[in-house]
Amino acid sequence: MRRFLVVFFLLVTLLAVSLGTRELVLPAGPPAETFVEVVPGMGSRTIAALLEEHRIIRSRYVFDLWHVLRGGTLKAGEYRFDQPATLAAVYNRLVRGDVYTRTVTIPEGFNLFDIAQAVQDAQLGSKESFLAAAKQDVALIADLDPGAKNLEGYLFPDTYRFQRHQPPSQLLAAMVRRFRQSSASIGLESDYHRIVTLASLVEKETPVAEDRPLVASVLENRLARDMPLMTDPTVIYAALLEKQYRGAIYQSDLKRDSAYNTYRHAGLPPGPICSPGIASLQAAMHPKDSKFLYFVADASGSGHSRFATTLEEHERNVSAYRRGLKDAQGTH
């Protein structure tokens, strides 16, 4: 009888090892793309049961045993499974925290409306909820810009990876955190409101990095003389705020009585009009020493600008720009 029990125990043990090994080496997987949410504080047994329920693994018990043998912390987050994988591979993903994320890229010069649309396009939430949070979460920059009405200008241009169900507040916090890191790296430590506002105008006025210190100098020179900045991007932004932008600037836009309309109001606008990049922030911090008061795009299409110290010179540059446009249109 004793011999029979020993043999029976050995057979059961061998069977268990065989089945366990089979569960470890044979891939399992859902019949279709499946998302599994591991919430913070969820125990390993609950996680194992959840994975088994979604057919990511065959046996919760083998998963539990593997957890005991291998150790490690299973990370919270959303996981995407779309192809068969072994239990060990699934386990390793959870230990690494290889959660599913979506990518959203914020180019330099995007304003809040652009960023909100990019977030929605990446299926990370609605643009309306993002814009509402950008107004509500101004405490994120209270120490930098105490009078800010929203987070415009402080959401740093970069490529971000977020989980699908992260709330807008977490997205905004990550973008502001990136702004803090980047601004600190170039020595921006004070006068944030003025620098970021000026940098946002520079960002919108020229795509050419080497021209930005000169554009900044023109704006600073005009401010010093109490001359209206007369920048088209602020007129566009004023129209966007009132949901009146029609894709081009009309006479009615130039007459709009908005504090952002720098054709009607001297000085800087009330705040930034977009998210400036490093080059524009540096240009605003260190404008070129010049006497230029005007600039206009070069009609060559290079992206560069032509600068002038007098209105007469500027008008000649504008005429050259218009001729260049006309010639370019005539060749098509």
Side-chain angles (χ1 to χ4, degrees):
M1 183 68 178
R2 183 178 179 183
R3 179 178 296 177
F4 172 78
L5 290 174
V6 170
V7 171
F8 178 76
F9 176 77
L10 288 174
L11 288 174
V12 170
T13 301
L14 288 173
L15 180 61
V17 170
S18 175
L19 290 174
T21 302
R22 176 178 176 274
E23 294 298 327
L24 283 173
V25 299
L26 288 181
E33 180 185 55
T34 301
F35 292 91
V36 175
E37 180 77 20
V38 176
V39 301
M42 186 178 283
S44 62
R45 290 186 177 180
T46 305
I47 295 172
L50 187 64
L51 293 172
E52 184 185 73
E53 177 187 340
H54 286 85
R55 299 170 63 180
I56 308 302
I57 60 173
R58 290 189 174 85
S59 170
R60 68 180 74 182
Y61 305 109
V62 176
F63 189 93
D64 285 337
L65 178 60
W66 191 248
H67 179 61
V68 172
L69 293 174
R70 296 300 300 269
T73 301
L74 305 179
K75 308 296 192 308
E78 184 181 46
Y79 294 84
R80 174 177 176 265
F81 300 94
D82 64 344
Q83 57 186 2
T86 64
L87 184 146
V90 171
Y91 185 84
N92 290 337
R93 281 190 61 187
L94 270 67
V95 170
R96 292 195 308 270
D98 184 17
V99 297
Y100 177 71
T101 59
R102 292 186 182 275
T103 300
V104 58
T105 298
I106 310 303
E108 297 173 350
F110 261 30
N111 57 40
L112 278 179
F113 307 103
D114 300 323
I115 297 173
Q117 186 63 57
V119 166
Q120 180 170 285
D121 291 344
Q123 299 178 28
L124 290 166
S126 72
K127 59 184 179 183
E128 290 80 12
S129 61
F130 185 88
L131 289 171
K135 290 182 180 180
Q136 182 179 340
D137 293 355
V138 288
L140 289 170
I141 58 170
D143 58 322
L144 307 180
D145 192 346
K149 305 299 183 185
N150 54 48
L151 298 178
E152 185 72 270
Y154 296 93
L155 307 180
F156 198 75
D158 205 346
T159 295
Y160 299 89
R161 298 186 68 86
F162 298 114
Q163 294 186 49
R164 291 191 307 164
H165 303 304
Q166 284 184 260
S169 58
Q170 292 184 9
L171 277 59
L172 293 165
M175 295 176 186
V176 170
R177 184 163 56 249
R178 185 73 178 90
F179 170 84
R180 289 179 179 273
Q181 294 168 346
S182 299
S183 60
S185 72
I186 59 173
L188 177 55
E189 299 175 346
S190 62
D191 206 11
Y192 289 93
H193 177 82
R194 189 180 192 282
I195 294 298
V196 176
T197 301
L198 182 62
S200 71
L201 303 186
V202 172
E203 186 70 59
K204 282 294 192 180
E205 285 288 1
T206 177
V208 181
E210 55 264 37
D211 279 2
R212 287 171 184 158
L214 274 176
V215 170
S217 77
V218 170
L219 299 177
E220 287 285 24
N221 291 341
R222 292 182 74 91
L223 289 170
R225 290 164 175 76
D226 202 27
M227 297 172 64
L229 295 180
M230 302 177 71
T231 63
D232 290 352
T234 62
V235 176
I236 293 172
Y237 193 77
L240 286 170
L241 289 176
E242 298 182 12
K243 299 181 180 180
Q244 295 294 321
Y245 185 55
R246 293 163 286 177
I249 296 177
Y250 295 87
Q251 195 64 31
S252 58
D253 296 318
L254 296 174
K255 294 178 180 179
R256 179 174 280 108
D257 189 18
S258 166
Y260 282 90
N261 185 352
T262 56
Y263 277 81
R264 295 198 61 175
H265 300 278
L268 287 170
I273 62 170
C274 73
S275 291
I278 286 290
S280 293
L281 288 168
Q282 289 177 316
M285 293 169 64
H286 309 291
K288 194 109 172 177
D289 185 14
S290 83
K291 295 182 179 180
F292 293 134
L293 292 171
Y294 308 91
F295 65 92
V296 67
D298 193 316
S300 66
S302 64
H304 285 278
S305 299
R306 291 189 180 189
F307 298 88
T309 56
T310 67
L311 181 58
E312 292 76 17
E313 183 183 2
H314 176 61
E315 288 176 344
R316 289 196 296 271
N317 288 341
V318 170
S319 296
Y321 170 72
R322 289 172 176 167
R323 285 197 304 271
L325 284 183
K326 187 176 181 180
D327 292 343
Q329 292 170 355
T331 60
H332 294 294

